Amino acid sequence: MVKHRSSSRSIVSSFSSARLFSIKAISLYLIFIFAFTIWVLVFSSRNLQTDDDQHRDLIDSESFPPPYLPPRKNLQKSNENTQLWDPPFRFGLHPCVKPTPKFKELSESDHYITVRSNGGLNQMRTGIADIVAVAHIMNATLVIPELDKRSFWQDSSVFSDIFDEEHFIKSLKRDVKVIKKLPKEVESLPRARKHFTSWSSVGYYEEMTHLWKDYKVIHVAKSDSRLANNDLPIDIQRLRCRVLYRGLRFSPPIESLGQKLVERLKTRAGRYIALHLRYEKDMLAFTGCTYGLTDAESEELRVMRESTSHWKIKSINSTEQREEGLCPLTPKEVGIFLKGLGYPQSTVIYIAAGDIYGGDDRLSELKSRFPNLVFKETLALKGELKGFTGHATKTAALDYIISVESDVFVPSHSGNMARAVEGHRRFLGHRRTITPDRKGLVKLFSKMERGQLREGPKLSNLVKQMHQDRQGAPRRRKGPTQGIKGRARFRNEEAFYENPYPECICSSKQHREP
């Protein structure tokens, strides 16, 4: 009997100890899970909300931890597809352009703004978005902008040829009143002609309202970069996004053909890269980049640059330009770059560009690496481009649509279209956009010329490492380089339309928009 009781106490004691141990183990486990969750949240938030100040030699950080691991049996193939084609992980970010409760909606006004947009398609698009916001700030009615007919492209198109005019007017009816032309009783009145200061604040335009004391109409001579990139009220920034991404829809003929070409590409190729190959004559002349050209070609570009009055810089050292990464990549260099990233030879590449300087001969070394090059002229059916011939703005609009909808977008040089497409793709879900580190790549290309490096696994590893964080992943807009002061900082900082995060891209679920 004693023995039985002793055994019972032993069993109870053991059970109690096991239970106590189990409770302690569970508590420790829960504490560990909680701490790990907090660490992940802090780490992710830190990556999303801060700019990376790492040295340019490796690149500006955009990287984030992977959200999951694919099934082990398909791990290698899945990783390759993800790294080459899939959008970077976006942490639930989504577009947000609705005004806040503090936004002041349209109020009636008897003041008018007319404007002549300047530059190519995307310079005009972003400029128009700025001017709509300016009209809102100054409480003015905006007359449909006049498009640039005097630029390099000499395009005679009017607003309604490029954009859906009725949609533009209706979509902005709560923000700004837009009319097609000035009322007759106002047409003959004197106008204030203004060159508004570039990258200006809301306060600047509020001061400009003093012009309404003497004038009913203000004519704005240039539209581009009329507003600052940063430090503007969130409702003004979101208005700019509403204009650019919702209001400035292309005209039905352009939109229809653009989407047909996209569907044609996807049906034939499945996935494709849109390559914005900035290797046109005017680009090379403007930048002074003559690497790989003949003496005759270099001289032709020099003459063109010196005879173009509105290009301010005439004497340019081509070698210095290239070493600083200020030159567009050549077609050959683009081929080496894409091959180094790991894209297979069978990859379909849509060339979003005008006439390539040097024609097919200059494209040959790109085509030898990637034979499936597609142009709008080869993609369109007979007669589909009839209304586009001789209208560079219309054809640029087709390139824009195909680039925005591509699986991967690669610009060979920074510029208005490259920045606008990148910003739009970020807005639509951070679609993969690979921005070449031209300065870093030139160093690799120079080593190849000296025989110190050649195409193969070593070069590929270097290219991939250099661009692992230049894939279009979410990050905040970059400010000016440290030490740059005065108005020069505006040219140095990242453009609002290149990266509209955080004002027009949100993470909170309650602000999710259709």
Side-chain angles (χ1 to χ4, degrees):
M1 185 72 177
V2 172
K3 185 177 181 181
H4 177 70
R5 286 177 181 174
S6 176
S7 298
S8 298
R9 282 196 298 269
S10 177
I11 290 170
V12 170
S13 176
S14 299
F15 177 76
S16 299
S17 298
R19 185 181 178 191
L20 181 61
F21 176 78
S22 176
I23 292 171
K24 286 182 178 179
I26 291 171
S27 299
L28 287 172
Y29 179 75
L30 290 174
I31 290 170
F32 173 77
I33 292 295
F34 178 76
F36 181 74
T37 302
I38 294 298
W39 180 84
V40 169
L41 287 172
V42 170
F43 182 80
S44 301
S45 174
R46 182 172 175 268
N47 275 284
L48 273 171
Q49 296 180 6
T50 58
D51 287 332
D52 189 356
D53 293 325
Q54 289 183 354
H55 195 273
R56 170 167 171 74
D57 279 350
L58 268 186
I59 225 141
D60 302 298
S61 178
E62 304 175 344
S63 59
F64 294 86
Y68 65 90
L69 288 175
R72 187 172 297 275
K73 63 181 180 179
N74 294 320
L75 184 60
Q76 184 175 358
K77 184 177 180 180
S78 181
N79 277 344
E80 288 175 355
N81 287 336
T82 297
Q83 292 167 8
L84 291 176
W85 296 104
D86 292 352
F89 187 58
R90 58 182 181 180
F91 282 83
L93 296 173
H94 56 86
C96 51
V97 297
K98 287 183 179 179
T100 70
K102 295 182 180 180
F103 181 68
K104 294 181 180 179
E105 291 194 357
L106 171 69
S107 58
E108 287 297 320
S109 170
D110 60 350
H111 302 126
Y112 302 87
I113 288 179
T114 62
V115 59
R116 187 184 73 82
S117 299
N118 60 295
L121 172 68
N122 291 289
Q123 192 172 347
M124 289 193 289
R125 287 177 68 250
T126 56
I128 290 168
D130 276 9
I131 287 298
V132 169
V134 168
H136 176 84
I137 296 167
M138 298 184 69
N139 192 30
T141 295
L142 178 67
V143 180
I144 286 289
E146 177 189 348
L147 301 189
D148 192 343
K149 297 179 177 63
R150 295 179 289 179
S151 64
F152 174 83
W153 297 275
Q154 297 289 306
D155 193 330
S156 61
S157 299
V158 298
F159 189 94
S160 59
D161 292 328
I162 307 300
F163 305 108
D164 188 333
E165 192 171 75
E166 297 300 327
H167 172 78
F168 180 72
I169 294 170
K170 290 177 182 177
S171 68
L172 298 173
K173 63 183 180 181
R174 292 185 178 180
D175 303 312
V176 172
K177 184 177 181 180
V178 182
I179 58 177
K180 295 183 179 181
K181 58 182 181 180
L182 283 171
K184 289 184 179 180
E185 63 271 18
V186 178
E187 278 184 339
S188 58
L189 295 178
R191 307 178 190 185
R193 300 185 179 274
K194 284 292 297 180
H195 281 80
F196 287 137
T197 303
S198 301
W199 302 297
S200 291
S201 65
V202 168
Y204 169 84
Y205 288 105
E206 289 174 342
E207 290 178 8
M208 288 296 105
T209 58
H210 76 271
L211 292 168
W212 298 135
K213 295 178 181 178
D214 301 313
Y215 300 95
K216 280 191 173 293
V217 183
I218 296 175
H219 177 70
V220 183
K222 291 179 68 178
S223 62
D224 68 316
S225 304
R226 296 307 99 184
L227 280 169
N229 293 309
N230 300 298
D231 302 321
L232 295 181
I234 190 170
D235 275 318
I236 295 302
Q237 299 288 56
R238 288 188 177 180
L239 174 55
R240 297 166 88 182
C241 289
R242 286 200 295 280
V243 179
L244 195 65
Y245 303 131
R246 303 282 170 81
L248 278 173
R249 191 165 68 190
F250 290 117
S251 64
I254 293 175
E255 193 69 35
S256 175
L257 181 56
Q259 293 302 331
K260 281 182 184 178
L261 298 182
V262 168
E263 288 302 314
R264 212 167 281 164
L265 263 171
K266 288 186 176 291
T267 300
R268 296 178 186 178
R271 288 169 160 174
Y272 71 93
I273 293 174
L275 171 62
H276 186 41
L277 188 59
R278 288 311 319 265
Y279 212 74
E280 302 95 341
K281 183 178 180 180
D282 63 304
M283 169 54 69
L284 296 176
F286 176 73
T287 57
C289 297
T290 59
Y291 172 79
L293 302 183
T294 66
D295 291 342
E297 288 172 328
S298 299
E299 177 62 16
E300 182 181 28
L301 297 179
R302 184 193 66 78
V303 171
M304 181 180 183
R305 182 170 63 256
E306 292 189 354
S307 61
T308 305
S309 59
H310 59 276
W311 291 352
K312 296 179 181 179
I313 302 175
K314 304 299 182 183
S315 179
I316 299 176
N317 186 313
S318 179
T319 301
E320 290 179 1
Q321 283 281 95
R322 184 169 181 269
E323 289 176 351
E324 288 300 314
L326 300 176
C327 288
L329 298 179
T330 69
K332 177 183 177 180
E333 290 170 343
V334 171
I336 296 172
F337 169 60
L338 292 177
K339 185 178 178 182
L341 287 174
Y343 287 97
Q345 190 178 31
S346 60
T347 299
V348 172
I349 300 177
Y350 174 80
I351 304 295
D355 294 332
I356 301 302
Y357 191 57
D360 290 339
D361 289 342
R362 190 121 302 133
L363 281 171
S364 60
E365 293 201 72
L366 170 60
K367 197 166 187 177
S368 67
R369 293 170 174 84
F370 296 94
N372 295 320
L373 301 183
V374 181
F375 301 82
K376 65 181 78 65
E377 293 81 7
T378 58
L379 190 60
L381 302 178
K382 186 177 180 180
E384 284 184 327
L385 292 176
K386 185 178 180 180
F388 292 77
T389 305
H391 296 280
T393 309
K394 288 185 178 182
T395 56
L398 292 178
D399 283 342
Y400 184 88
I401 293 171
I402 296 170
S403 296
V404 168
E405 296 298 330
S406 66
D407 297 281
V408 178
F409 175 66
V410 180
S412 68
H413 188 263
S414 58
N416 291 310
M417 177 166 167
R419 288 191 289 268
V421 170
E422 179 177 351
H424 201 161
R425 289 171 67 85
R426 287 183 179 277
F427 179 79
L428 292 173
H430 291 88
R431 298 172 178 178
R432 189 170 293 275
T433 299
I434 305 175
T435 308
D437 180 355
R438 296 188 302 277
K439 187 173 181 178
L441 286 171
V442 165
K443 293 177 182 178
L444 298 182
F445 297 148
S446 296
K447 286 185 177 182
M448 292 178 69
E449 288 181 357
R450 294 193 298 267
Q452 298 171 345
L453 191 63
R454 62 182 180 181
E455 289 185 74
K458 184 177 180 180
L459 174 65
S460 182
N461 287 336
L462 291 170
V463 170
K464 288 175 181 177
Q465 181 185 4
M466 188 181 290
H467 293 87
Q468 63 183 350
D469 299 322
R470 299 178 75 99
Q471 306 279 332
R475 60 168 173 75
R476 284 178 175 268
R477 194 165 54 254
K478 300 174 189 173
T481 302
Q482 191 173 4
I484 296 182
K485 299 179 180 180
R487 296 196 62 78
R489 71 185 188 277
F490 295 124
R491 290 188 179 276
N492 183 262
E493 66 188 7
E494 189 172 26
F496 172 72
Y497 298 114
E498 185 175 359
N499 184 6
Y501 178 68
E503 297 93 338
C504 300
I505 301 173
C506 301
S507 57
S508 54
K509 293 180 180 178
Q510 62 266 32
H511 292 132
R512 185 172 292 278
E513 299 173 11

